[in-house]
């Protein structure tokens, strides 16, 4: 793992350090950019250094970590920096029938989508408890709330957030630490583009199945995160919130 601090002017920054995982592109990048624009001290991580470095410069991040979160040591050393806000965003998708799902995909998805967020929370909580303040936001998926045929592995990994969020909300309630999960429907990112190409339906057919007939824009997720991490949202904890253009409604 490599870490870099950017030489930014901290004077106008809020006194809150944020880690957004998997924030070189897609939803994570939008979240990191909005929080940085709002004055938070934002740190980001991903595996591909060139893309991550460009994003860090573009969004004026305070620093970035080039790392594979699936390496347990990376999770531990990143969290040694201490963060007030953790956004567990990094994740991947697999489109496959249950009988054709490979052992490698089973191991990889359970690790990245479920074990990694759990480990990051485990290392994040002692710092938050000491500060008597913390915000944990997980990016789940609507596939963890309603079933998605041929994405059972993905659905299984994302549904784990529902139980984790409720249990931790209870456990950390008296420490002024909130824990919530956002479950997006289809969002306009590379992951969604690849998922649609791997699936059995065209982009137009997918649109027809969404009540609002549109994909969510990454900024819509970012704005919900902005609210959840704010002081105004201190009473919201243990919640799984769908932001899915109506997909979960029926
Ligand atoms: N897009 C959708 O329609 C949609 C819908 C519901 C939920 N979600 C969830 O939203 C989250 C973000 O999705 P997205 O669409 O923005 O994905 P994306 O565009 O593919 O971005 C994924 C980010 O995670 C990083 N990443 C992947 N594996 C990593 C690893 N092992 N270690 C560190 N960083 C890693 C990627 O950078 P590197 O590849 O360089 O590491 C990238 O920055 C995921 O958890 C996804 O399941 C997405």
């Amino acid at each position: 793992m490599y870490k870099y601090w950017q030489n930014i002017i901290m004077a106008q920054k809020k006194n809150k350090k944020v880690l957004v995982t998997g924030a070189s592109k897609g939803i994570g990048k939008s979240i990191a950019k909005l929080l940085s624009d709002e004055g938070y001290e934002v740190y980001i991580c991903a595996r591909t250094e060139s893309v991550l470095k460009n994003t860090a410069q573009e969004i004026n991040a305070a620093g970035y970590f080039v790392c594979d979160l699936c390496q347990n040591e990376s999770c531990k050393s990143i969290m040694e920096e201490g963060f007030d806000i953790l956004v567990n965003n990094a994740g991947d998708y697999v489109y496959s029938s249950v009988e054709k799902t490979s052992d490698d995909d089973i191991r990889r998805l359970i690790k990245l989508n479920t074990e990694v967020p759990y480990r990051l929370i485990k290392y994040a909580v002692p710092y938050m408890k000491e500060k008597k303040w913390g915000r944990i936001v997980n990016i789940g998926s609507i596939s963890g709330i309603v079933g998605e045929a041929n994405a059972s592995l993905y659905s299984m990994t994302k549904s784990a957030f529902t139980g984790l969020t409720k249990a931790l909300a209870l456990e950390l309630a008296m420490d002024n630490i909130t824990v919530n999960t956002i479950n997006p429907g289809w969002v306009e990112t590379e992951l969604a583009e690849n998922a649609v190409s791997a699936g059995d339906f065209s982009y137009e057919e997918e649109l027809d199945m969404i009540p609002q007939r549109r994909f969510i824009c990454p900024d819509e997720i970012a704005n919900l995160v902005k609210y959840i991490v704010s002081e105004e949202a201190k009473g919201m904890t243990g919640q799984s919130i769908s932001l899915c253009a109506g997909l979960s409604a029926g």
Side-chain angles (χ1 to χ4, degrees):
M1 186 192 81
Y2 303 97
K3 61 182 176 189
Y4 301 91
W5 290 168
Q6 298 212 129
N7 196 12
I8 55 161
I9 303 157
M10 301 299 296
Q12 292 170 337
K13 291 279 168 185
K14 283 187 176 140
N15 191 21
K16 292 274 185 278
K17 285 173 79 179
V18 184
L19 175 71
V20 185
T21 66
S24 59
K25 57 184 178 178
I27 297 170
K29 179 179 175 180
S30 286
I31 296 168
K33 180 176 185 323
L34 183 60
L35 296 185
S36 179
D37 289 349
E38 288 291 310
Y40 291 92
E41 191 182 324
V42 173
Y43 297 77
I44 59 177
C45 71
R47 291 166 301 179
T48 316
E49 180 164 8
S50 51
V51 186
L52 185 67
K53 186 179 174 187
N54 283 342
T55 299
Q57 284 165 351
E58 187 188 323
I59 69 167
N60 202 20
Y64 59 96
F65 304 89
V66 182
C67 66
D68 181 351
L69 288 168
C70 293
Q71 308 287 329
N72 294 347
E73 272 313 303
S74 294
C75 292
K76 195 165 182 216
S77 23
I78 289 176
M79 297 320 288
E80 274 163 12
E81 301 297 333
F83 296 98
D84 305 284
I85 299 170
L86 167 64
V87 182
N88 272 317
N89 167 76
D92 206 356
Y93 176 90
V94 168
Y95 186 86
S96 168
S97 64
V98 63
E99 69 272 30
K100 288 195 179 144
T101 303
S102 72
D103 286 352
D104 273 357
D105 278 341
I106 295 171
R107 270 191 296 273
R108 189 174 60 84
L109 230 65
I110 290 175
K111 180 91 192 180
L112 180 63
N113 290 5
T114 306
E115 185 182 326
V116 163
Y118 192 89
R119 279 184 188 280
L120 291 172
I121 292 169
K122 167 185 153 96
Y123 298 127
V125 161
Y127 178 91
M128 293 177 180
K129 278 188 171 174
E130 203 182 305
K131 291 280 192 96
K132 283 267 165 222
W133 197 97
R135 295 279 188 272
I136 296 166
V137 184
N138 305 306
I139 306 301
S141 167
I142 201 63
S143 309
I145 301 296
V146 297
E148 184 185 349
N150 297 307
S152 56
L153 176 61
Y154 182 71
S155 295
M156 176 178 79
T157 61
K158 291 296 187 176
S159 68
F161 277 133
T162 310
L164 177 67
T165 298
K166 286 182 180 169
L168 285 179
L170 296 175
E171 187 173 325
L172 302 173
M174 293 303 288
D175 295 294
N176 201 19
I177 300 170
T178 69
V179 188
N180 292 286
T181 292
I182 299 174
N183 293 309
W186 286 114
V187 185
E188 288 161 3
T189 69
E190 252 178 69
L191 180 148
E193 211 175 290
N194 296 336
V196 172
S197 334
D200 296 325
F201 301 102
S202 67
Y203 179 78
E204 289 69 27
E205 286 168 332
E206 291 290 355
L207 274 186
D208 271 348
M209 291 182 245
I210 304 171
Q212 289 186 349
R213 304 290 187 274
R214 69 180 187 94
F215 277 31
I216 299 287
C217 163
D219 283 349
E220 295 176 70
I221 311 289
N223 273 291
L224 183 53
V225 173
K226 180 182 125 184
Y227 173 67
I228 291 174
V229 303
S230 72
E231 205 46 44
E232 289 72 25
K234 62 177 179 242
M236 179 191 280
T237 192
Q239 303 306 305
S240 292
I241 306 145
S242 298
L243 209 175
C244 58
L247 263 177
S248 68

